[in-house]
Amino acid sequence: MPQFAWLDPKPFVLTAGPVGCLLIHGFTGSPPEMRPLGEYLASKGVTVSCPLLPGHGTTPEDLASSTWEQWYDCVEQAYLNLDEHCIDVFVCGFSLGSLLAVHLATHHPLRGLMLLSPALRLRDRRTALVPLLRHVIRFVAKDTDPEQGDLDDPEAYKRFWSYDAHPTAAVYQLLLLQSRVHAELPEVKTPTLVIYAIRDRSLAANAGPETYDRVGARDKAQWVLEKSGHGLVVDSECDLVFQKVHEWITAHHTIGTGT
């Protein structure tokens, strides 16, 4: 995808009320893809923080030299910063961000977890060769033609600031994180909302359902979108996504409940 000049890949914080929500962007992406959701939540009185993951928002070469542990350290620090100022903290991750959110939930007492297009499994079977190919092929170009993508809204791609290539070394890090999270999902007891799209061409068809089935929380729900593609945070059903995320926060925060 092009890096549109009107989008700023820098992290952002939107200060509102005592309930906080950490937003985590996707692989090769950046905070602008989470900005519409962040502004919606802030308008509802939720304080929002969206960090920029290491290796993202600069060049694919930077991403190629980053690790999933570095991505997680960034997320954890952003969570700790938010936790200093908010009574309750929720975490909402998109794609790669959902994996980092799950890992965070196994280390910190979150009030709620929202997993959007959870990247538990990728659709492209060639990723199985990445552990070997990363030593030979450094970058794989993306198909940047919007008409060949899975987005329902033809203007949605303009809301992404993303790289035009996948660094194979970074894909390998993603696979390592997937393996870790797959084992950790049953440990997650945080109330969890899973939202995924059946037209998603980036993830395996069972990625969303398996995430929902394996997460250990008793309090969990899933929503399946019929029109959206992988980038459901900016696609045609994003208003519904925003509403469901806010409803999950409202139903699980402790402000005014006496708990």
Side-chain angles (χ1 to χ4, degrees), residues 8-254:
D8 186 349
K10 294 186 179 64
F12 65 85
V13 174
L14 304 174
T15 303
V19 175
C21 185
L22 178 65
L23 303 180
I24 313 172
H25 67 77
F27 186 64
T28 75
S30 57
E33 65 203 40
M34 307 302 287
R35 185 91 192 194
L37 172 57
E39 292 180 348
Y40 176 87
L41 293 177
S43 74
K44 301 293 185 181
V46 178
T47 291
V48 172
S49 173
C50 184
L52 174 65
L53 300 177
H56 293 76
T58 54
T59 66
E61 288 76 15
D62 284 342
L63 182 55
S65 63
S66 65
T67 66
W68 78 260
E69 291 92 347
Q70 290 174 328
W71 305 338
Y72 175 73
D73 287 346
C74 172
V75 167
E76 185 176 48
Q77 188 57 59
Y79 162 77
L80 293 173
N81 292 342
L82 194 58
D83 191 49
E84 287 183 2
H85 301 95
C86 295
I87 297 175
D88 290 335
V89 176
F90 294 77
V91 178
C92 179
F94 164 62
S95 194
L96 162 64
S98 69
L99 302 182
L100 294 167
V102 169
H103 191 58
L104 185 70
T106 64
H107 291 78
H108 295 280
L110 312 180
R111 286 303 304 175
L113 201 57
M114 293 81 75
L115 309 178
L116 313 180
S117 297
L120 190 65
R121 298 187 187 279
L122 303 179
R123 182 177 293 270
D124 192 338
R125 295 182 178 179
R126 293 175 298 176
T127 56
L129 302 175
V130 165
L132 295 176
L133 290 181
R134 65 191 171 100
H135 300 294
V136 180
I137 302 173
R138 293 192 63 203
F139 301 97
V140 175
K142 295 180 183 178
D143 185 348
T144 58
D145 182 356
E147 295 186 0
Q148 300 303 314
D150 63 3
L151 294 171
D152 181 57
D153 180 353
E155 298 296 307
Y157 76 98
K158 296 180 180 179
R159 303 179 192 114
F160 282 105
W161 193 105
S162 180
Y163 295 145
D164 290 340
H166 288 118
T168 54
V171 174
Y172 178 64
Q173 293 297 316
L174 171 61
L175 296 178
L176 293 177
L177 180 58
Q178 280 181 331
S179 179
R180 175 67 66 91
V181 168
H182 192 275
E184 290 176 337
L185 274 170
E187 303 173 20
V188 175
K189 307 305 179 186
T190 305
T192 302
L193 172 66
V194 181
I195 303 180
Y196 55 91
I198 59 174
R199 296 181 65 249
D200 189 329
R201 296 183 191 171
S202 296
L203 305 182
N206 64 336
E210 184 176 358
T211 300
Y212 173 77
D213 289 341
R214 287 186 56 79
V215 71
R218 291 185 177 182
D219 184 357
K220 60 182 180 179
Q222 64 179 331
W223 281 89
V224 183
L225 303 180
E226 302 289 337
K227 297 180 181 178
S228 301
H230 180 67
L232 50 78
V233 286
V234 296
D235 208 354
S236 60
E237 296 170 295
C238 65
D239 289 345
L240 175 60
V241 174
F242 300 170
Q243 177 186 339
K244 294 303 178 183
V245 168
H246 181 248
E247 287 176 354
W248 197 253
I249 292 174
T250 301
H252 293 89
H253 72 65
T254 62

